[in-house]
DNA sequence: GATGAATGAGGTTTCATTCAT
DNA sequence: TATGAATGAAACCTCATTCAT
């Protein structure tokens, strides 16, 4: 009943032919769009606003992108590509330094700092990713998350190496990696709460202490605490009943 | 931009008069809406869909809420209220336990566990908050953030108490609190990456070790490392030049 | 590169729920649309114009149809259904009359008249079909043409029956059927050239004579003429060279 | 409606000055356009597509034509001119042969064959005419129809001459001419249904028999039939009541 | 004279909101 | 109070046309 009746036109490719000009235009528009998406959200930003911010007419935006959604896609892709490159560099560095016998702690911190600085570089896009991930198709989302998983794997690998070298206690490697990832990303996602660090270097300088705390945290002492914990039974028990 | 714009005049009160019915209706609608917002996003959810899911007519939705936006507000304020209550309990517990001379570590962990469990309870809403914060008016957003700041203050206060009691090293109290907050929230926000913990209790059981690692992390050892760091100069320097 | 990024909303069904009202509305809108499509063409008619002509708001049109193209589809479907019904009746009548031993000429004319009157009834839609066939998908076009082929087959069958009964000379049955079909449709398609016939009955009254002329046309006499034709050689030859 | 609307002011002459180049360019573009118009329809063909097919830039198209509409006009007027020329030739031939005392039947067939072959030659444009007539201004449309009327007049004239010479029975001259016109055009318009004739010559060879059948059809015999018809009263009556 | 990026009017479509029933 | 059809503003997008190079 609802079957397609009319011939659909194939959606045509971007209209601008000059490759260099096309890319420049895309970047100009995407940059304007990113700012607006960030402050107002993707859905609250109209193409007209983007065009205005990029000092273009509405029509021109569609000479560079075939749809509004492609702008978002472009931003994510850019993010993706950059991440891939850095990931590759990091892995190479890691292999090289490991061979040189560099201290695992230092080794980890070097790679981790690199990641934190990447987050800083891509701050806008990371936030955009958090906000608009629900809008993506699962395929697109998959690609984005795959990137993260590869990062986490790299971190886990390095931590495992540290464990092997007795630099860190064993156990909970995956959660440690996850937490360090989250803390790095929080520089972008909750940047408003970290205003006291004016630059990412300042942030990292402080963060690395906590990071080492995480890496060196051990299960032994904690179990002991847990034992104590049970003595405050009433309160702890009541907590268990909170969530439905 | 849209968020700041003057709202058009609009019926200011819901049509339903009976206070009890009104609240029941609101909750029914908001619950349906929350599920949809979560899986499709606020902007990709139409009022008609909400009405259908809540087994109501479109018109009826507007008898309970004056706008779609208000449904979002309702969800957030519900979150707020719940958080306020727990915050109040936590503070009371904290004061009581402090008086009883409970070990600061335990004390912190008790309060922190309570918070982690709250996050679990409000998981949907926390995620919604991350995603749709941009759809709120700045006033609404302010209220939301104020709540978080109060939580963070409480955590800071307890950490400071631990420092005072020599349970934790001094320094970086605010960042420590911030990080612990973020890690708690990651249970909601990056839940997909924490699937190996089937229940929040499992998660906390492991997380608390890292949390203690963070709390006990010190600046001394780190500085020593940084000294070493400088020996790998070339690589480290190059990192500094990464972000533009 | 152009891959779909954002989740698409499933296009929702017509918004009006009351079945009767929905159909009435559809017919009202489609009727207004048909008039406009006919005089201005489908592409030169905007939904706004349709809405105005149907005394509705633009939005309301989309409460009844999910797209402009569905209006066209509706018109064609209506045409299709009507044609199917009549075709069925015609075949039944044909079988019945044949059994009664009715004169093949009369039999043919009865069925043919029925078809001409159907064309009159669906005049607008037939013209629309001619004009917008190129806009249809091949599936849709196929359905439309299949209907015509079935009619033509019926006509051919009856002519063949007449041939068998020696009412018509043998030969060219398919072309005869085709021509009679075309002449019937010309009442719709070139109606402007047939203004002197105020009603379809008048048209048929005259057309039937020519129709019989076609049915009774024979090959014998013609061959004789062609022989003569060759004597005017120069002119006839030159004609052959016209098309490239 | 749109067709009637006042055109906005616009550069009235093509930019290209060299007369010969201008015409060549126009023909090149129009030829590309015709192919696209025919397969996709006028409205589903963009100027960019035309330019591409003609291996030109979009801008250049507008150096040769002042508007897209003008391309359509050009195609039709080309058609017109060709028809005018042939019409003129036909009339001359007709006068000449009449003087020579050629048999009216042959005479008619010669002229008619010429017309059928013209249709074949202009097949694309004829189809375009049927499809896109609604896209023309009424003035343009008028010119097109005037051409057809002149053809029909010529045919009528020849038929009348045949009647005078007792070659054809009297009566219904206009309808006969109309029908023969339609059947000739059906070679273009419903070409898909005439695939069994591989060339226009084959088609005409068969068509001419039916054409003679039409020309020689008489009213007398028919009236007799009609009388018979009334005996099958019930069915025939019911038919009359079909159209509303 | 040729080019193709820029333009903006206008098209279709969605959807929050209103209001008569 | 509940309903759901009607509304129209505003969104995305297309494309004929212009014009600086």
């Amino acid at each position: 009943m609802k079957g397609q009746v009319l011939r659909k036109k194939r959606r045509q490719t971007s209209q601008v032919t000059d490759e260099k000009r096309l890319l420049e235009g895309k970047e100009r528009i995407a940059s304007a769009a990113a700012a607006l998406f960030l402050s107002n959200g993707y859905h609250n930003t109209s193409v007209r606003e983007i065009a205005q911010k990029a000092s273009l007419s509405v029509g021109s935006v569609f000479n560079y992108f075939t749809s509004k959604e492609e702008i978002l896609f472009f931003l994510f892709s850019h993010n993706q590509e950059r991440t891939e490159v850095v990931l590759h560099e990091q892995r190479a560095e890691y292999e090289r330094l490991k061979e040189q016998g560099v201290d695992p702690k230092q080794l980890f911190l070097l790679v981790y700092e690199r990641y934190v600085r990447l987050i800083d570089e891509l701050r806008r896009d990371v936030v955009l990713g958090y906000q608009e991930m629900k809008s993506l198709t699962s395929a697109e989302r998959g690609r984005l998350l795959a990137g993260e998983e590869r990062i986490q794997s790299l971190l886990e690998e390095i931590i495992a190496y540290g464990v092997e070298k007795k630099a860190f206690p064993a156990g909970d490697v995956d959660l440690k990696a996850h937490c360090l990832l989250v803390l790095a990303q929080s520089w972008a996602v909750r940047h408003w709460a970290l205003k006291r660090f004016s630059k990412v270097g300042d942030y990292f300088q402080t963060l690395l202490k906590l990071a080492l705390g995480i890496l060196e945290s051990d299960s032994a002492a904690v179990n002991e605490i847990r034992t104590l914990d049970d003595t405050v039974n009433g309160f702890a028990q009541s907590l268990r009943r909170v969530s439905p």
Side-chain angles (χ1 to χ4, degrees), chain A:
Chain A
M1 171 54 164
K2 290 292 146 39
Q4 187 163 309
V5 188
L6 292 192
R7 224 182 270 240
K8 286 280 177 247
K9 285 202 87 147
R10 60 216 160 287
R11 174 178 283 190
Q12 51 207 348
T13 160
S14 330
Q15 198 176 142
V16 178
T17 55
D18 182 83
E19 206 62 37
K20 194 169 168 317
R21 190 170 185 151
L22 178 63
L23 191 62
E24 276 171 17
K26 280 192 169 190
E27 272 166 0
R28 177 151 147 240
I29 293 165
S31 172
L36 291 165
F37 290 170
L38 259 187
S39 58
N40 306 335
Y42 174 75
H43 292 281
N44 285 321
T45 303
S46 70
V47 174
R48 181 165 301 129
E49 285 172 302
I50 297 171
Q52 263 166 20
K53 182 133 193 169
S55 307
L56 276 168
S57 68
V58 179
S60 284
V61 170
F62 289 94
N63 286 347
Y64 290 89
F65 291 100
T66 62
S67 66
K68 182 185 172 188
E69 97 188 34
E70 212 200 19
I71 304 177
L72 195 59
F73 183 60
F74 182 84
L75 288 169
F76 283 141
S77 297
H78 185 253
N79 185 336
Q80 277 297 308
E81 277 170 35
R82 195 77 191 86
T83 303
E84 283 304 315
V85 167
V86 170
L87 201 62
H88 196 259
E89 285 172 15
Q90 279 178 310
R91 180 162 289 281
E93 277 301 323
Y94 161 56
E95 302 290 356
R96 195 170 62 76
L97 293 173
K98 191 164 84 175
E99 207 133 309
Q100 290 180 9
V102 170
D103 173 53
K105 273 185 203 170
Q106 282 178 50
L107 208 165
F108 180 86
L109 287 177
L110 283 169
V111 171
Y112 189 48
E113 179 172 4
R114 186 77 189 83
Y115 181 61
V116 172
R117 286 178 185 280
L118 176 66
I119 292 292
D120 182 58
E121 186 192 346
L122 302 175
R123 205 160 73 205
R124 294 188 320 181
D125 309 77
V126 170
V127 175
L128 212 52
Y130 263 79
Q131 278 165 14
E132 303 301 341
M133 191 157 305
K134 278 284 144 44
S135 306
L136 295 174
T137 55
S138 56
E140 204 49 41
R141 190 162 49 239
R143 291 212 318 167
L144 215 62
L145 299 185
E148 293 221 341
E149 271 169 30
R150 289 181 58 196
I151 303 250
Q152 184 164 342
S153 295
L154 180 60
L155 294 184
E156 285 178 15
E157 209 172 308
I158 306 178
I159 296 173
Y161 171 68
V163 169
E164 188 191 323
K165 292 289 184 193
K166 314 281 189 205
F168 311 133
D172 306 324
V173 172
D174 58 345
L175 186 63
K176 286 178 178 175
H178 175 264
C179 287
L180 289 164
L181 205 78
V182 167
L183 293 182
Q185 292 180 355
S186 80
W187 171 248
V189 180
R190 290 174 57 90
H191 195 252
W192 51 267
L194 298 168
K195 289 244 170 72
R196 86 159 161 102
F197 303 102
S198 55
K199 291 199 297 188
V200 66
D202 300 342
Y203 177 61
F204 183 72
Q205 199 69 24
T206 311
L207 178 63
L208 71 86
K209 303 169 198 168
L210 311 201
L212 286 176
I214 287 176
L215 289 170
E216 291 165 353
S217 68
D218 199 354
S219 314
V222 174
N223 284 336
E224 174 190 344
I225 282 189
R226 263 291 110 174
T227 319
L228 288 173
D229 183 18
D230 295 333
T231 62
V232 208
N233 230 311
F235 182 54
Q237 291 292 324
S238 77
L239 286 174
R240 302 277 143 61
R241 266 178 276 116
V242 165
S243 49

